[in-house]
Amino acid sequence: MKLGIVGLPNVGKSTLFNSLTKAGAESANYPFCTIDPNVGIVTVPDERLNKLAALYNSAKVTPAVIEFVDIAGLVKGASKGEGLGNQFLSNIREVDAIVHVVRCFENTNVIHVEGSVDPIRDIETINLELVFADAEVLERRIAKTTRGARNDKELAKELDFQERLKAYLDEGNLAISFELENEDEEKWMKEYNLLTAKPVIFAANVSEDDLADDGNSNEYVSAVRDFAAKHDSEVFVISAQIEQEIAELDDDEKEMFLSELGLSESGLDKLIKASYSLLGLISYLTSGEDETRAWTITKGTKAPQAAGKIHTDFERGFIRAEVVNYQDLLDCGSLSAAKEKGLVGLEGKEYVVKDGDVILFRFNV
């Protein structure tokens, strides 16, 4: 999974990126200190892996990972070259979802580019820049499609779609809310890789005081939640400053620190849950002496396609899958004990993989 982090300058974007990835991206109290996109890899915490690894005496544990791309702070007019322009928007065209960091705290020591704190105005500023960038992409596509559409019915259909979508964006709408009428339109939309077609998770960045009640008493957070609910987006409340402190602690200290703040989980944990929920992702597990590993797939994935995550040969030569629920396996203490109790299923090509399935694939190529 790949997530792009966007936001206006000085909303806590790079501080959050640093704390999530411990990558040390430069963070300073002035606009555009992030000039190159920073990329960091984060492992997805999953306590099931260590328990399975202990059961199988695995030599290696490999968790799922998330790749974060931190983009330079966008400002009003970025699509027209203001600030650093939209040269960095191309870096997030390949991400699965966008994490939009929104400032929900007052602090006279941290300059706001617009001179005041107003999260909805900030969200709309960024959205408009993304819409402008997408409209440019469509303009170029329309010019190209027009040339071939005169003698090609399929291209003529696509041109009609492009023009309707462009008109929709020109009204200030996001591509994600454009109603797709058939499979062709779904395919084209995917192909264009538009920024506003990507799902969004809002990171409401608050002060330490607002963390304990999850931002419920913060009017800015309430406004962001209302906005997100109308746009089918996820929201999580975070204090980028606190996350930075947490990032420097080891696991035991981290638990103690969170407990002192009255928190049950870190911002990273919240973000991972929000990402998995928004993108409809789950993890299945494989385990043996060599390695215990988590594999991320979308809900509804059938066994052969899940096997293809490991290697294309597994999907091509799929015969069947030996499947046991993670908890059942742990409770039984071994695969053979789980088999004796009838808890291990032999599943075929139509089996839909569930979160927490421990799978052994049989294949032949």
Side-chain angles (χ1 to χ4, degrees), residues 8-26:
L8 290 170
N10 299 342
V11 294
K13 191 172 57 66
S14 291
T15 305
L16 176 60
F17 173 80
N18 288 348
S19 57
L20 294 180
T21 64
K22 300 181 189 173
E26 187 183 354

Side-chain angles (χ1 to χ4, degrees), residues 300-306 314-321 346-353:
T301 300
K302 292 183 178 176
Q305 288 70 46
F314 280 37
E315 182 176 354
R316 200 157 49 91
F318 178 88
I319 300 170
R320 64 179 183 273
L346 284 178
E347 308 291 352
K349 290 181 178 180
E350 293 306 306
Y351 177 73
V352 175
V353 175

Side-chain angles (χ1 to χ4, degrees), residues 154-184:
E154 278 308 302
L155 278 181
K157 267 196 241 171
E158 187 174 359
L159 180 60
D160 173 63
F161 170 70
Q162 288 171 347
E163 286 172 341
R164 282 187 287 116
L165 180 54
K166 171 77 164 51
Y168 187 74
L169 291 176
D170 287 344
E171 288 169 8
N173 299 306
L174 306 180
I176 198 166
S177 55
F178 186 77
E179 216 164 294
L180 301 170
E181 293 174 6
N182 51 52
E183 282 181 13
D184 279 342

Side-chain angles (χ1 to χ4, degrees), residues 137 220 281 295:
V137 166
Y220 298 136
L281 301 175
W295 304 88

Side-chain angles (χ1 to χ4, degrees), residues 98-234:
I98 289 171
V99 179
H100 188 157
V101 184
V102 190
R103 178 167 166 176
C104 295
F105 65 90
E106 297 278 1
N107 185 337
T108 51
N109 296 320
V110 181
I111 310 151
H112 190 294
V113 287
E114 295 284 354
S116 62
V117 177
D118 181 344
I120 303 307
R121 176 203 61 208
D122 294 354
I123 288 170
E124 286 170 348
T125 296
I126 294 280
N127 280 353
L128 207 50
E129 293 311 316
L130 300 182
V131 165
F132 288 151
D134 281 349
E136 272 183 37
V137 166
L138 275 175
E139 252 172 51
R140 289 195 296 271
R141 281 192 172 263
I142 287 169
K144 190 178 173 187
T145 312
T146 304
R147 289 195 291 273
R150 292 184 195 91
N151 308 311
D152 186 321
K153 282 184 183 174
E154 278 308 302
L155 278 181
K157 267 196 241 171
E158 187 174 359
L159 180 60
D160 173 63
F161 170 70
Q162 288 171 347
E163 286 172 341
R164 282 187 287 116
L165 180 54
K166 171 77 164 51
Y168 187 74
L169 291 176
D170 287 344
E171 288 169 8
N173 299 306
L174 306 180
I176 198 166
S177 55
F178 186 77
E179 216 164 294
L180 301 170
E181 293 174 6
N182 51 52
E183 282 181 13
D184 279 342
E185 293 191 358
E186 284 173 25
K187 183 190 79 176
W188 293 326
M189 182 70 96
K190 211 172 186 179
E191 199 180 289
Y192 304 160
N193 228 345
L194 299 177
L195 298 168
T196 62
K198 296 182 186 298
V200 175
I201 303 160
F202 291 105
N205 188 13
V206 300
S207 65
E208 180 184 334
D209 297 342
D210 286 327
L211 265 186
D213 73 344
D214 203 32
N216 290 330
S217 54
N218 182 313
E219 60 180 313
Y220 298 136
V221 174
S222 301
V224 173
R225 282 183 172 139
D226 289 345
F227 184 93
K230 288 175 194 158
H231 294 83
D232 295 325
S233 300
E234 293 273 340

Side-chain angles (χ1 to χ4, degrees), residues 19 22 43-47 50 245-260 263-266 268-269:
S19 57
K22 300 181 189 173
T43 58
V44 176
D46 191 337
E47 60 182 21
N50 289 333
E245 290 177 39
I246 290 171
E248 287 155 17
L249 304 173
D250 63 33
D251 288 346
D252 292 341
E253 290 173 322
K254 197 180 289 182
E255 271 184 41
M256 204 183 301
F257 185 62
L258 287 170
S259 169
E260 281 169 15
L263 304 173
S264 57
E265 57 187 354
S266 72
L268 176 59
D269 295 332

